[in-house]
Amino acid sequence: MQSKWIEDFVSPVTQEPLMLSRAEGDGAEVKSGILANDDSRFEILGGIPRFVTSSYLTDDRESHSGDERTSRELQTAHSFGRLWRHESYMPKPDQSEAVRQSLSEQLEAMVGIPVRAESFDDLVEPGMKVLNAGCGTGWTETLFKTPEARRYAVDLSLAVESAYEATRELDNTIVAQADISALPFRDGFFDLIISNGVIHHTSDPSGNFARLVNKLKPGGMIGIYVYRRKPYLRELADMAIRTKSTDMSFEDCQKFAAQMTALGESLAAIKEPLELSEDIPLL
């Protein structure tokens, strides 16, 4: 991280400013150090400020312990951390146009394009502070660079390491590892917040939505994407699969995902229509 970002961070608990100490790096680039005040202490590791406990700095499944909420949050962070650091998910300069178009449509739908503006670049004005709450690999920041704005990419998982590598050349972007339920920013700090497919994975979705709203300036805008409610039989199938997949190794889950992808592609190739003579309301 560049030292210019330090003044933007506060303690997630008290919202008091943090001071940098024990800094090591190259010029303005801080690779390691401590952000602290009288009540809080957080490390900078690998150029990334870490506002999380040590359990989130590893993929060790054995660290899922403690109360139910902690265990669930850890399991989710570990799973997505490994997924988003897999090379197949890293943002690539030569990403296919189809992938770029799909990602663009997701973001634009979240922030009301074209109702509010013609494009995301038009929506983001010079000097705006934009938070990506649950940034994953940082694809939003790499596809929509908006150099005139200050971009903040935050994730609870080790996906921040992928996001950091993808955005390290962007002078207007900072990546931090933090929990969206305890963000290291002042209330009323952001002009725009986006969160794509994240809060429904937390133990308190409605509460975390409210906490994100608290970080907005008066008149600010928030764009959220959450999964839609699935049909009943699909939900039953997913629940049955999860009873097995949650105990699988990461490698076995990847193999299973590849098999399901092949199945989905095969089903999608079937073009003949299925006709029913009568609706089935229960389904």
Side-chain angles (χ1 to χ4, degrees), residues 27-84:
E29 184 72 13
V30 180
K31 299 297 291 184
S32 65
I34 303 295
L35 289 171
N37 58 25
D38 292 340
D39 304 305
S40 306
R41 182 182 184 278
F42 307 98
E43 289 190 84
I44 300 171
L45 300 172
I48 304 170
R50 315 280 184 152
F51 299 93
V52 295
T53 63
S54 59
S55 297
Y56 291 93
L57 303 178
T58 176
D59 287 324
D60 182 12
R61 290 169 66 103
E62 298 303 317
S63 63
H64 299 164
S65 60
D67 62 42
E68 182 178 351
R69 176 195 179 278
T70 301
S71 180
R72 174 178 173 177
E73 304 292 346
L74 270 174
Q75 186 174 18
T76 301
H78 290 177
S79 297
F80 279 103
R82 294 196 67 178
L83 180 68
W84 297 140

Side-chain angles (χ1 to χ4, degrees), residues 59-265:
D59 287 324
D60 182 12
R61 290 169 66 103
E62 298 303 317
S63 63
H64 299 164
S65 60
D67 62 42
E68 182 178 351
R69 176 195 179 278
T70 301
S71 180
R72 174 178 173 177
E73 304 292 346
L74 270 174
Q75 186 174 18
T76 301
H78 290 177
S79 297
F80 279 103
R82 294 196 67 178
L83 180 68
W84 297 140
R85 284 182 295 149
H86 193 276
E87 61 180 0
S88 62
Y89 288 99
M90 285 291 291
K92 302 175 181 64
D94 60 345
Q95 257 174 341
S96 71
E97 185 57 35
V99 172
R100 294 174 65 88
Q101 180 66 23
S102 175
L103 296 176
S104 298
E105 289 174 356
Q106 287 182 41
L107 179 64
E108 291 177 350
M110 287 168 54
V111 295
I113 302 298
V115 176
R116 295 179 178 272
E118 288 299 315
S119 68
F120 185 76
D121 290 340
D122 293 331
L123 182 71
V124 178
E125 299 176 357
M128 271 190 172
K129 295 183 177 72
V130 181
L131 171 67
N132 185 355
C135 65
T137 60
W139 65 264
T140 300
E141 288 66 41
T142 57
L143 283 182
F144 301 89
K145 296 181 174 64
T146 55
E148 70 282 2
R150 291 172 70 86
R151 304 290 294 274
Y152 302 77
V154 170
D155 203 283
L156 180 60
S157 78
L158 289 176
V160 291
E161 295 177 354
S162 293
Y164 176 78
E165 290 300 321
T167 63
R168 62 188 307 175
E169 301 302 322
L170 301 179
D171 189 58
N172 71 326
T173 301
I174 176 69
V175 175
Q177 188 173 4
D179 189 337
I180 62 173
S181 68
L183 288 169
F185 305 105
R186 298 174 183 84
D187 288 347
F189 186 74
F190 294 103
D191 300 279
L192 171 63
I193 295 175
I194 57 175
S195 186
N196 187 354
V198 175
I199 64 172
H200 52 262
H201 288 299
T202 69
S203 57
D204 183 19
S206 59
N208 286 329
F209 176 77
R211 294 179 187 101
L212 288 176
V213 171
N214 286 342
K215 299 301 176 184
L216 281 175
K217 294 178 181 178
M221 184 171 67
I222 186 167
I224 300 289
Y225 167 67
V226 295
Y227 295 169
R228 66 180 297 175
R229 187 181 299 277
K230 290 173 287 188
Y232 182 60
L233 291 184
R234 165 68 189 277
E235 189 63 47
L236 288 177
D238 284 358
M239 290 172 62
I241 290 172
R242 288 192 191 102
T243 63
K244 303 291 185 181
S245 63
T246 51
D247 292 327
M248 288 180 181
S249 67
F250 180 78
E251 291 72 24
D252 285 343
C253 274
Q254 287 289 96
K255 181 179 179 180
F256 173 67
Q259 293 168 341
M260 293 299 290
T261 299
L263 172 62
E265 290 173 344

